Amino acid sequence: MASITAEDISFYRTKAPEFIELHDQVETSLDLLDNLETFLSTFQTDLTSVAGQISELQRRSKEIEERLKGRRRIERPLASLIADLTVPPELATLLLDTNVGEPWLEAIPQFEKIFDSIKERGRVKASKDLTEVAQALGLVVATKLRSFFLALLQPIRSNMSTNMQVLQTSVLLKYRTLFKYLQRSHPTVATELQRAYTGTARTYYETGFRRYIRGLTAIKGRSGEPFELVGANNERVETELKVAHLENASLDGPAVTMAFMADEKNYKEPVEGLFRSLVIVVMDNASAEYSFIRQFFNREDQNEPSASRATSVIGDDDHLESVNESSDAEPRPRHHTLAHRRQSSTSSVVSVRSAILRKQREEDAYFAEIWKQVMEPVLQYTEAFVQSIINPSLLEPKPSVVPILTMIRFNEAAYQEAGKRGCTPLETFLVGLRISLWPTFQSEMSAHVESLKKLADAATGSMLVRGNIRDTVVRAAAQRYATLFSAMLALLGEEEEPMLFLNLSRLRQELTRLISVQAGKVRDPTQKAIYLSTTYEAVLQILSNGPKPNTHPKAQTETAFWREREEEARRRIASTQG
């Protein structure tokens, strides 16, 4: 302290305010530091609290994100469910407030899809609530469709001039989608409409064909030609073969006889032409009707086995092999595996094909039954008309053997055409017609043979009665035989028919005997040879002018038979005159 001088004291006194100010600043700084320490402690506490809140927010954010992902996963199925279970207002308005028309062709499949979805999702509460609404809407739709289809059939019932084929192809087939809906969802209504159609179509065809056959019957009554046996005891003979009549054996023959032609009193048509016209009209209408029935009344079956399934069975050999090999506890030899695989595949294919064939037979029987309900009166009228031809009344002439064979040939052509058109029930009917025609043909051929036999017996005479058959009668019989043979040859089918030529052989045998007996009455050898030559020449002339070319083997054989006898007669003439 002694060393402190007055100068020092004076210096410190001079600096005292500054020291006091510095002291105050230090005090203030300490206070500030204390406040900062308190603030930092509070901040640390708040920061810890914020960190906890952030963790909570992160946890909640993850939960929300998981919920969002879950909702996104169910968004599409839920949207699909809502779309499937919801009947769009515009669809409901269309079905409830409009008449059946073209817009329904798209609306009905849409409604059916929605209704099926409602039924399939029966466990969904909303589906249960909507089922009654959808069923009520379905009843309204079925009622409208029933009235619509019945109204379409009304023109046929009220006016027989309505074109059935136009109605079928342009109207009914156009709306068959709507009928399919009734078959699936309202089978009772579909069955009622099917019965209404079959009844209406049956009446339509029955009335039309009754009128048509009535006209054909009138034409037949004034067109009959007298039936003359080959061995008739007269000199009348028609050596010119009616080729135009033979054209009725073909589908490409003359024009079909129309019903209005019966009003022309002078119009005539041979019975084979009338038969051809009737069968063509029946075939056209019957095949068109059968085609419509198969398309319109076709029943859909979702469980029907398909050919594609059979193909898949055949094509899965490698897969079957791998399954068999992997499933066995111990590996088997490969040839055993292959044998088992082939056996399994073959049995599967056979079972699938059997199911397809069985289903096809059931469908064919179903369509044939509907077709029969519609066309049964037509078939009955047709059969009755054919019977009136082959078994005419006493006032009408019986047709000869050539028209009968012409009808048989055309019936065979119609049978083949019906097969091409796929009209199986009509094929059965045509087989029945053929069965009824052949006995008549055989009976008339036997009558021709018997007539020649009686004529030959009459020419021979007996011990008490001398034969008195004239040469011109024998010549006429020979010419009738040649004409008949030419006609038979023209009507020959693609296949050899032994029965037909057996009958002709019998005729030729009796004719040969008749000519020999008649020639035997001539005592002059020259005149006898001349008679034989002229008779044989008459036969050859008709045979050479026949419609079938002479290159046909049967024509060559027949011509050679008579040519040989004619040349032999000429040699006798030459020998007797020499």
Side-chain angles (χ1 to χ4, degrees), residues 446-505:
S446 298
H448 281 296
V449 174
E450 190 64 25
S451 67
L452 276 178
K453 183 178 181 181
K454 290 181 179 180
L455 190 63
D457 293 341
T460 302
S462 63
M463 296 179 61
L464 300 178
V465 179
R466 183 179 178 181
N468 57 355
I469 301 300
R470 296 186 300 275
D471 293 344
T472 53
V473 173
V474 176
R475 180 185 176 90
Q479 291 174 323
R480 292 191 203 102
Y481 165 79
T483 304
L484 178 61
F485 183 89
S486 297
M488 294 289 187
L489 194 64
L491 296 172
L492 185 64
E494 296 180 357
E495 300 179 357
E496 292 290 336
E497 297 183 68
M499 183 62 67
L500 179 62
F501 286 99
L502 177 62
N503 288 317
L504 290 174
S505 177

Side-chain angles (χ1 to χ4, degrees), residues 321-333:
E321 179 182 352
S322 63
V323 171
N324 289 333
E325 290 180 350
S326 62
S327 61
D328 288 340
E330 297 180 359
R332 295 177 295 178

Side-chain angles (χ1 to χ4, degrees), residues 148-271:
F148 172 73
F149 282 110
L150 290 178
L152 292 180
L153 299 178
Q154 188 59 36
I156 303 177
R157 298 174 178 174
S158 58
N159 188 359
M160 291 304 300
S161 62
T162 303
N163 192 315
M164 173 68 86
Q165 278 70 41
V166 172
L167 177 64
Q168 291 174 342
T169 56
S170 301
V171 182
L172 290 177
L173 288 179
K174 177 181 177 181
Y175 291 102
R176 64 178 174 178
T177 302
L178 307 183
F179 184 77
K180 300 295 182 188
Y181 163 75
L182 292 176
Q183 283 183 314
R184 292 187 294 266
S185 302
H186 303 277
T188 303
V189 178
T191 302
E192 179 187 357
L193 292 177
Q194 178 179 315
R195 291 175 179 173
Y197 171 80
T198 54
T200 302
R202 180 187 179 99
T203 302
Y204 174 85
Y205 286 116
E206 180 179 7
T207 304
F209 273 89
R210 183 173 64 247
R211 295 174 181 176
Y212 181 60
I213 292 178
R214 186 188 302 135
L216 295 184
T217 302
I219 297 174
K220 179 172 70 72
R222 57 173 177 261
S223 303
E225 298 179 355
F227 174 71
E228 192 166 39
L229 296 170
V230 172
N233 191 358
N234 59 61
E235 301 174 9
R236 295 192 306 271
V237 61
E238 188 173 343
T239 58
E240 184 178 355
L241 187 61
K242 297 179 180 179
V243 180
H245 289 189
L246 300 179
E247 293 178 355
N248 288 304
S250 171
L251 287 170
D252 300 328
V256 173
T257 302
M258 308 302 292
F260 68 87
M261 295 179 178
D263 298 334
E264 301 179 15
K265 302 302 180 182
N266 296 326
Y267 180 80
K268 295 182 179 181
E269 185 74 20
V271 291

Side-chain angles (χ1 to χ4, degrees), residues 279-295:
V279 173
I280 286 179
V281 174
V282 170
M283 180 173 61
D284 289 344
N285 285 272
S287 58
E289 184 65 28
Y290 188 71
S291 176
F292 168 76
I293 289 173
R294 290 193 69 96
Q295 295 180 68

Side-chain angles (χ1 to χ4, degrees), residues 202 293 367-377 379 425:
R202 180 187 179 99
I293 289 173
F367 295 130
E369 181 62 27
I370 300 177
W371 182 87
K372 184 178 180 181
Q373 293 174 7
V374 174
M375 302 300 297
E376 186 175 23
L379 304 183

Side-chain angles (χ1 to χ4, degrees), residues 383 386-387 390-391 431-441:
E383 188 173 1
V386 174
Q387 289 298 323
I390 60 180
N391 297 309
V431 169
L433 287 185
R434 188 174 188 271
I435 292 175
S436 64
L437 289 171
W438 267 113
T440 303
F441 171 80

